[in-house]
């Protein structure tokens, strides 16, 4: 564990990509194959199954720290991370463990069949032999959610440096449904002809937001454009008569979208489509609140299927007749995709994401203005001769989103943040006017600088009207411009509307609370069919 | 009548008609130390420890201030006041008030671990204790200062070998000088931001031994900073000022660096857990050793900490104040030359 903790410290101590890659590459050169496999697994969101509940971990930690459980529970949201809270409250280590990363994972997996008393003994024993960083990592292994600021892409680059294997080849080998228990470093990483894995997806190609003017992209004739749908980006794979659906987070989500099962009957074997999974009815998306009901929901009820039916809006064809098609120019891939989808719509669940016709950049700008009406987030621009690349890249694909909605609102409640913002009031609630009453409609946590949050924090301390637990109502005095991506009617919100991704756009120090917008102004932004009749 | 009371202007002693660290202008104020949230402008008369006076003058300008040595008593309206070292920054004091055998102590900001710079914290027995609890949670437990300083030395050394400047963000009053007296000056030259150097000059003039430092000025060529340590207020990290230093690694010294989330959010390359306030262990130890039965808690996690003290058998209460603890920017430390205390001005 010491070398893994050292790796973690090096990664955590820098914000520079090159330094992170170098730290990982050094680690990969020195570590045992088992430790390497587990490191790759952890950094690609594969973790050992949870064998201890977080409830008992908290109890054991509080007990070992000599503090009451309630005090632990109070400290936890301030730290913002359970593994870290436990690591910090425990007394200094009393022994020195030389176990490796793989040894500890074996211990954790072994807890599964033990009774609570045995589990407790082993966990307390682990804590007493580890320093704060090692403990934090041990706790992360137990509780999961291993995010340490290294993307799978960076990890793959470091592994490529350490093994001298091509980075893209490695990216492909590392995808799919493997765990360190069912394969080895030799098989997964080093074998040129890796274990046949029909489910293995291609790395997604992700676009950056367009910077600067369209003119800079050159001739409009070199580009294609289509709408950017706000759903779940996914890859549908039909191989060996089976369907595999992957989300962009490289999670296999086939079971969650039974609507797509019929794709196997319509698509030829050896087909991989990149597209957007989207709740859809009568020719348009059903909106973000409906989408919300399908995200992360593993059990799918009949009611959910009829309330929020999904389709796959196809963007691109990555594999045709079993051949990797990604090096073909976009227009070639696109016409092959059109042929495929034109021949069938798999019972209505497979739809093309239509290309937008445009002659000039002005045409395109006008098309973007229709995005809200169509329920899209804006446009995607794709260079006609571009291959399908891996990961987030600049140059060939750009997303060109519509400008957010904005509204001027009054801050009425403040709550302190957690983790990195535990000492600041960063969770703010905003209101608009209904006659002479302020009606809360949005919470926002981001968009101000540290200096502004500090200033606001001092102001909140002095201008608290009432406290409700951690929430303080404050004197209505400050106006902020709130930006958001979407708005829908909602019966669950006091204001009658729900917002998509609200955030603070800027502090309007030039405005008084009487300049803030009204609820009617806000409702005027609802899509036509949802606007109240009055 | 309680010996000390909590008012919307600050801690008040009705019998003596004086305030302690008031945040609104009053006729007569006793001041624990020179940080901007404790020493504010506009009072009619100031009384502070002798050692705190130069810094307070430096920050607040020509104010009517008197200094008395640590431990010396001063009777005001029958109440006997005295100042005792708080170990927070040079000159920082706890204030003791006694009337007819009843003793109250306000700690101000304090730290019990000796730092080689500030007068060592003195434990003062009392009946009622008003204590800060900036880091009053069991997740805050500091490493010894020597270990943290050796981390800073290691970081500086490594940067120096790579030809980088090492820029460390530390409050210009207190933390900056603590870093200066601790680090190994053999590694390379030491430069300071103007706000830090101004404070250095004040402290040197009152006899504190600080290592030799060079003020960063626009004439100095970038190349000069390669391998150097640059001590600057946290607000300077990431500002345009940094550009004149050439390629640099950044570090930030603060108790908040104990939390990984805060460390990451700062976007400094390194976080060093170095606080001028007591940690959980020392805070509890101080309360226990003070002998006080009634405890008032101010700045920090007051409601949680109060509940903890209550569960430990103390009569514990919250005192609402406007002190700011250890902020991540430098609002309580960096205003220089008499502009301190402007409400809401941010660093
Ligand atoms: Zn202070
Ligand atoms: Zn303070």
């Amino acid at each position: 564990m010491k070398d893994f903790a050292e790796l973690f410290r090096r990664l955590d101590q820098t914000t520079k990509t090159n330094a992170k890659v170098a730290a990982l590459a050094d680690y990969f050169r020195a570590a045992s194959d088992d430790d390497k496999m587990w490191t790759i697994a952890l950094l690609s969101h594969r973790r050992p199954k949870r064998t201890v509940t977080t409830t008992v971990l908290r109890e054991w930690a509080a007990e070992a720290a000599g503090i009451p459980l309630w005090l632990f529970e109070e400290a936890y949201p301030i730290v913002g991370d359970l593994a870290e809270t436990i690591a910090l409250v425990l007394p200094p280590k009393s022994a020195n463990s030389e176990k490796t990363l793989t040894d500890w994972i074996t211990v954790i997996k072994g807890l599964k069949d033990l009774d609570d008393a045995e589990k407790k003994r082993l966990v307390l024993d682990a804590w007493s032999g580890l320093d704060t960083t090692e403990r934090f990592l041990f706790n992360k292994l137990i509780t999961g959610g291993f995010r340490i600021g290294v993307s799978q892409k960076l990890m793959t680059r470091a592994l490529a440096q350490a093994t001298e294997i091509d980075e893209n080849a490695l990216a492909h080998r590392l995808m799919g449904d493997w765990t360190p228990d069912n394969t080895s470093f030799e098989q997964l990483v080093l074998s040129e002809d890796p274990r046949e894995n029909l489910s293995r997806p291609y790395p997604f190609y992700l676009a950056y937001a367009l910077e600067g003017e369209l003119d800079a992209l050159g001739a409009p004739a070199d580009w294609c454009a289509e709408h950017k749908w706000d759903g779940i980006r996914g890859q549908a794979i039909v191989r060996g008569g089976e369907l595999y659906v992957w989300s962009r987070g490289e999670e296999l989500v086939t079971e969650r979208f039974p609507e797509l099962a019929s794709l196997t009957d319509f698509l030829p074997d050896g087909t991989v489509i990149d597209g957007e999974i989207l709740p859809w009815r009568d020719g348009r998306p059903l909106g973000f609140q409906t989408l919300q009901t399908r995200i992360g929901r593993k059990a799918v009820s009949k009611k959910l299927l009829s309330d929020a039916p999904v389709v796959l809006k196809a963007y691109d064809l990555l594999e045709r007749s079993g051949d990797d098609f990604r090096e073909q120019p976009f227009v070639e891939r696109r016409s092959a995709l059109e042929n495929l989808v034109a021949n069938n719509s798999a019972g209505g669940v497979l739809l093309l994401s239509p290309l937008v016709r445009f002659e000039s950049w002005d045409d395109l700008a006008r098309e973007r203005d229709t995005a809200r009406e169509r329920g899209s987030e804006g446009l995607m621009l794709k260079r006609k001769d571009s291959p399908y690349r891996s990961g987030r890249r600049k140059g060939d694909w750009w997303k060109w989103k519509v400008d957010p909605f904005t509204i001027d609102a009054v801050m009425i409640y403040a709550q302190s943040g957690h983790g990195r913002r535990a000492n600041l009031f960063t969770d703010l609630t905003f209101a608009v006017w209904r006659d002479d009453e302020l009606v809360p409609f949005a919470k926002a946590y981001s968009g101000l600088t540290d200096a502004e949050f500090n200033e606001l924090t001092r102001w909140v301390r002095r201008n608290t009207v009432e406290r409700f637990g951690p929430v303080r109502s404050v004197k209505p005095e400050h106006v902020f411009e709130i930006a958001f991506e979407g708005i829908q009617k909602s019966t669950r919100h006091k204001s009658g509307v729900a917002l998509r991704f609200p955030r603070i756009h800027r502090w309007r120090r030039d405005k008084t609370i009487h300049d803030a917008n009204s609820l009617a102004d806000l409702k005027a932004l609802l899509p036509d069919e949802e606007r109240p009749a009055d | 009548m309680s010996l000390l009371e909590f008012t919307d202007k600050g801690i008040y002693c009705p019998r003596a008609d004086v305030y302690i660290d008031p945040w609104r202008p009053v006729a007569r104020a006793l001041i624990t130390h020179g940080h901007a949230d404790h020493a504010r402008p506009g009072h009619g008369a100031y009384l502070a420890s002798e050692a705190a006076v130069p810094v307070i003058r430096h920050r607040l300008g020509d104010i009517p201030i008197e200094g008395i040595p640590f431990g010396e008593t001063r009777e005001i309206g029958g109440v006997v006041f005295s100042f005792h070292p708080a170990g927070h920054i040079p000159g920082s004091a706890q204030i003791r008030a006694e009337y007819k055998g009843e003793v109250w102590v306000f700690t101000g900001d304090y730290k019990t671990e000796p730092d080689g710079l500030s007068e060592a914290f003195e434990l003062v027995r009392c009946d009622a204790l008003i204590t800060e609890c900036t880091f009053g949670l069991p997740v805050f437990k500091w490493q010894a200062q020597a270990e943290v300083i050796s981390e800073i030395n290691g970081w500086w050394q490594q940067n120096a070998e790579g030809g980088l400047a090492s820029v460390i963000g530390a409050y210009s009053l207190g933390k900056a000088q603590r870093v200066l007296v601790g680090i190994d000056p053999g590694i390379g030259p030491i430069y300071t931001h103007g706000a830090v150097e101004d404070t250095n000059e004040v402290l040197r003039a009152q006899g504190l031994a600080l290592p030799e430092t060079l003020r960063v000025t626009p004439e100095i060529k970038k190349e000069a900073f390669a391998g150097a340590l640059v001590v600057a207020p946290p607000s300077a990290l990431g500002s345009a000022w940094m550009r004149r230093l050439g390629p640099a690694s950044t570090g930030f010294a603060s108790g908040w660096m104990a939390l990984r989330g805060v460390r990451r959010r700062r976007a400094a390359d390194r976080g060093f857990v170095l606080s001028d306030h007591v940690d959980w262990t020392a805070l509890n130890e101080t309360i226990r050793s003070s002998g006080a039965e009634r405890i008032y808690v101010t700045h920090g996690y007051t409601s949680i900490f109060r509940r903890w003290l209550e569960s430990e058998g103390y009569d514990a209460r919250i005192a609402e104040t406007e002190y700011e603890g250890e902020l991540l920017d430098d609002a309580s430390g960096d205003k220089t030359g008499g502009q301190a205390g402007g409400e809401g001005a941010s660093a």
Side-chain angles (χ1 to χ4, degrees), chain B residues 37-38 109 299 323 325:
Chain B
D37 56 327
H38 293 260
D109 293 343
H299 51 332
Y323 310 129

Side-chain angles (χ1 to χ4, degrees), chain A residues 369-522:
Chain A
D369 292 339
T370 71
R372 286 244 153 80
E373 252 164 68
R374 294 171 192 271
S376 93
E377 286 187 287
L379 297 176
M380 281 294 305
L381 297 166
K382 297 178 177 177
R383 198 186 285 278
K384 284 184 178 168
D385 61 3
S386 59
Y388 188 93
R389 300 179 185 275
S390 300
R392 199 174 285 285
R393 298 292 177 91
K394 290 190 177 179
D396 284 339
W397 283 17
W398 296 102
K399 55 183 175 195
W400 192 33
K401 300 222 276 187
V402 288
D403 296 330
F405 293 108
T406 59
I407 205 109
D408 289 334
V410 181
M411 175 173 89
I412 57 167
Y413 300 117
Q415 188 175 354
S416 52
H418 56 249
R420 55 197 190 169
R421 303 157 127 201
N423 56 335
L424 295 176
F425 287 98
T426 57
D427 299 6
L428 310 176
T429 302
F430 297 94
V432 284
W433 294 105
R434 180 171 56 200
D435 302 324
D436 52 6
E437 182 198 5
L438 282 166
V439 184
F441 72 101
K443 274 187 155 201
Y445 314 88
S446 62
L448 294 182
T449 63
D450 279 10
E452 285 173 322
F453 273 129
N454 273 315
E455 182 184 345
L456 199 60
T457 295
R458 287 193 285 275
W459 182 87
V460 168
R461 288 214 187 97
R462 285 194 298 269
N463 292 279
T464 298
V465 178
E466 243 183 306
R467 296 184 186 211
F468 315 93
V471 179
R472 295 169 177 223
S473 72
V474 297
K475 200 164 93 194
E477 181 172 317
H478 291 296
V479 177
F480 293 84
E481 185 175 305
I482 306 300
F484 49 97
E485 298 300 322
I487 176 167
Q488 278 189 278
K489 262 200 306 201
S490 162
T491 50
R492 290 185 301 122
H493 296 82
K494 194 175 172 188
S495 61
V497 297
L499 305 185
R500 178 104 164 127
F501 300 135
R503 69 234 177 229
I504 304 164
H505 213 212
R506 57 196 165 129
W507 191 340
R508 296 299 306 252
R509 296 171 194 267
D510 54 323
K511 295 206 169 183
T512 73
I513 57 169
H514 304 290
D515 302 324
N517 284 110
S518 67
L519 190 57
D521 296 337
L522 186 61

Side-chain angles (χ1 to χ4, degrees), chain B residues 179-193:
Chain B
V179 170
L180 286 173
V181 298
I183 39 96
D184 175 3
I187 299 174
I190 304 169
Y191 285 89
T192 48
H193 181 280

Side-chain angles (χ1 to χ4, degrees), chain B residues 33 35 38 88 109:
Chain B
H33 67 294
H35 279 149
H38 293 260
H88 170 62
D109 293 343

